[in-house]
């Protein structure tokens, strides 16, 4: 597009989306209309009122809503694929904290975050919820790079003041709260990248710090993201640290940072008790299901179908660097594959996830945290990715549905022809 801010146009191609998790809506050789950054509808024939809009004809390519990564650690991208032979707490102490300390240096952070942002932009992800580190300057640098790239994101300066190496602890809860408030005010000028409060997890946040963050949450009406019930040893540790709580989720709830008035994403929920599940459902907490991470750190397999059946909000997360890949295609494939192993090995009452369910989780499921995002229903923010699968050769003539299924397992960044976020063209390799 000549004018990158042009927000009224039409994309033509095979349009695919999942308004509900049980089936695909597919319009072959159809039109999806963007008006002022929002979706005006999907059509088999273009209504006359839109005929004057510029139309990008993507031919036989597939047009999907943008994919949403509900949980990723930007500073960990530097060691993705390394050190996958430990469980959570040992992995944090051996690999993760050592890397995150380096973001004290703005030079190191700038270099690392440029690589992360460039790769994220080339991926099919249009929106992400991102952890930084405790360092304000580095986190602001990450936010500015994302803003420049056109991505929509929530980014958190991480908070931690206990049970962590000295160089990765905030001085004390007071200093942490002060720095966090300063950071919140410093990112007010950003348009597409927003702050999200990020207590790392209960073991690394003191009661006083949680109390202070809860105050900031109420004052600035910010969402929060954290980790929950990922690993059995971690859950036991939280029990010891917080003997007066009824479950891990209750340790967040105690500070009113577990849904309700406080939009919340909790990563993992592999081992959530029934009580914790009930709280998440009642309070509208979003679960970021991270199947690759849960496999790599031998955490387990979350009962995603149970969460969906209960009406809990669920999306997918890459959780780099416990997950090795930023690809949300990879996350979809692994969500299905892990659900099959869980069904076979531990619980025949929960059927494996289907292709449309995985697609829903990666689009509308996670997109709901951002409001109306992740679908081509009328009024949704216009996030789209165009995929060219012609290079994935087959002697068969495939249906569009078969082509979607195949892409979950086979799509690579090089198959992405174009990407639009909220109507903004991020790139298009053909127009
Ligand atoms: N729990 C606390 N910190 C982390 C982290 O960085 N990654 C994962 N997977 N779990 C965590
Ligand atoms: Fe994580």
């Amino acid at each position: 597009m000549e004018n990158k801010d042009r927000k009224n146009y039409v994309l033509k191609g095979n349009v695919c989306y999942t308004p509900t998790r049980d089936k695909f809506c597919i319009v072959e050789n159809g039109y999806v209309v963007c008006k002022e950054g929002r979706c005006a509808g999907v059509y088999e024939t273009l209504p006359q009122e839109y005929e004057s809009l510029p139309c990008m004809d993507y031919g036989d390519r597939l047009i999907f809503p943008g994919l949403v990564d509900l949980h990723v650690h930007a500073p960990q991208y530097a060691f993705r694929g390394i050190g996958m032979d430990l469980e959570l707490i040992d992995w944090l102490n051996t690999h993760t904290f050592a890397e995150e300390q380096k973001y004290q240096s703005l030079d190191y952070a700038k270099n690392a975050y440029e690589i992360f942002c460039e790769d994220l932009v080339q991926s099919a992800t249009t929106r992400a919820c991102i952890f930084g580190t405790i360092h304000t300057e580095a986190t602001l640098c990450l936010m500015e790079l994302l803003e420049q790239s056109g991505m929509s994101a929530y980014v958190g300066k991480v908070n931690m003041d206990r049970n962590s190496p000295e160089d990765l602890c905030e001085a004390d809860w007071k200093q942490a709260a002060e720095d966090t408030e300063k950071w919140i005010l410093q990112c007010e000028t950003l348009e597409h990248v927003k702050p999200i409060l990020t207590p790392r997890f209960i073991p690394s946040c003191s009661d006083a710090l949680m109390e202070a963050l809860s105050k900031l949450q109420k004052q600035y009406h910010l969402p929060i993201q954290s980790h929950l019930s990922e690993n059995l040893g971690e859950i036991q540790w939280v029990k010891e640290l917080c003997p007066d709580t009824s479950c891990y989720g209750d340790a967040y709830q105690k500070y009113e940072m577990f849904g309700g008035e406080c939009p919340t994403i909790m990563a993992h929920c592999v081992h959530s008790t029934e009580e914790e599940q009930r709280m998440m459902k009642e309070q509208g907490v979003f679960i970021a299901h991270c199947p690759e991470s849960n496999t790599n750190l031998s955490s387990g397999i979350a009962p995603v179908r149970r969460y969906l059946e209960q009406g809990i909000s669920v999306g997918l997360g890459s959780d780099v660097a416990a997950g090795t890949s930023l690809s949300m295609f990879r996350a979809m494939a692994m969500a299905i594959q892990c659900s099959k192993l869980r069904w076979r090995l531990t619980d025949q009452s929960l059927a494996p996830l289907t292709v449309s369910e995985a697609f829903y989780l990666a689009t509308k499921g996670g997109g709901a945290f951002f409001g109306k995002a992740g679908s081509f229903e009328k009024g949704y923010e216009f996030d789209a990715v165009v995929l060219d699968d012609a290079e994935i050769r087959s002697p068969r003539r495939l249906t569009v549905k078969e082509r979607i299924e195949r892409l979950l397992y086979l799509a690579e960044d090089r198959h992405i022809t174009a990407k639009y976020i909220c109507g903004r063209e991020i790139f298009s390799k053909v127009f």
Side-chain angles (χ1 to χ4, degrees), residues 72-75 77-78 80 109-123 125 130 138-151 153 155 193 326 413 419 426-427:
V72 55
H73 297 258
Y77 193 57
R80 66 194 182 282
K110 188 165 179 292
N111 189 21
Y113 284 154
E114 274 171 3
I115 296 171
F116 171 79
C117 288
E118 279 172 22
D119 287 1
L120 189 65
V121 166
Q122 293 310 313
S123 79
T125 300
I130 306 175
T139 304
L140 284 169
C141 165
L142 169 63
M143 294 173 90
E144 273 153 23
L145 287 167
L146 287 163
E147 175 87 9
Q148 284 160 22
S149 75
M151 291 289 301
V155 175
V193 179
L326 285 177
D413 288 355
K419 172 155 146 176
I426 306 303
F427 64 81

Side-chain angles (χ1 to χ4, degrees), residues 71 73 76 79 83-98 100 131 163 200-204 226-238 248 252 267-271 290 293-300 319-323:
H71 184 76
H73 297 258
Q76 298 176 15
F79 71 100
M84 308 263 73
D85 50 359
L86 297 170
E87 283 195 54
L88 175 65
I89 304 301
D90 290 337
W91 173 80
L92 287 171
N93 287 323
T94 309
H95 298 289
T96 311
F97 293 158
E100 290 193 13
F131 279 54
N163 295 321
R200 180 174 210 116
F201 67 158
I202 293 293
S204 55
S226 194
H227 297 91
L228 181 66
S229 297
E230 174 178 4
N231 168 286
L232 293 171
E234 171 211 21
I235 293 168
Q236 184 55 37
W237 193 14
V238 171
Y248 192 160
Y252 294 104
H268 307 301
C269 305
V270 174
H271 305 284
C290 305
S293 161
N294 299 156
T295 303
N296 288 331
L297 299 187
S298 309
S299 301
D319 195 25
V320 159

Side-chain angles (χ1 to χ4, degrees), residues 4 6-7 9 34 37 382-383 420-425:
K4 294 231 166 200
R6 197 159 69 187
K7 297 269 186 72
Y9 52 85
C34 174
F382 194 88
D383 297 357
Y420 302 85
I421 303 178
C422 226
R424 308 185 293 278
E425 182 191 294

Side-chain angles (χ1 to χ4, degrees), residues 209-362:
L209 176 55
M210 291 297 280
E211 186 79 50
L213 292 177
S214 178
K215 281 207 184 110
L216 287 175
Q217 192 282 320
K218 290 187 175 71
Q219 188 179 346
Y220 292 97
H221 305 288
L222 293 180
I224 85 143
Q225 59 180 354
S226 194
H227 297 91
L228 181 66
S229 297
E230 174 178 4
N231 168 286
L232 293 171
E234 171 211 21
I235 293 168
Q236 184 55 37
W237 193 14
V238 171
K239 251 188 208 149
E240 289 159 19
L241 289 167
C242 314
D244 57 336
T245 53
S246 57
C247 60
Y248 192 160
D250 194 34
Y252 294 104
Q253 170 65 34
K254 210 170 123 188
Y255 301 99
E256 296 172 53
M257 292 195 288
F258 201 61
E261 296 286 296
C262 169
T264 300
I265 301 174
M266 287 289 156
H268 307 301
C269 305
V270 174
H271 305 284
S272 290
T273 60
E274 274 182 26
E275 183 198 2
E276 193 163 277
Q277 294 176 34
R278 189 163 19 83
M279 284 169 71
M280 289 191 283
K281 153 87 178 133
E282 281 172 11
Q283 320 248 110
V285 170
F286 276 71
I287 295 176
H289 173 49
C290 305
E292 206 210 336
S293 161
N294 299 156
T295 303
N296 288 331
L297 299 187
S298 309
S299 301
I301 304 172
V304 178
R305 173 168 305 288
R306 181 171 304 141
Y307 297 157
L308 290 171
E309 281 171 357
Q310 287 178 355
I312 299 176
S313 301
V314 188
L316 295 183
S318 66
D319 195 25
V320 159
T324 58
S325 168
L326 285 177
S327 168
M328 294 313 293
F329 288 106
R330 172 79 162 266
M332 285 190 262
M334 284 210 66
I336 295 172
Q337 291 164 335
C338 290
S339 72
K340 288 176 178 169
L341 288 176
R342 192 178 191 285
W343 173 71
R344 172 62 63 203
L345 297 173
T346 66
D347 182 0
Q348 278 78 45
S349 76
L350 294 176
L353 296 175
T354 64
V355 173
S356 73
E357 285 173 328
F359 192 95
Y360 174 89
L361 290 174

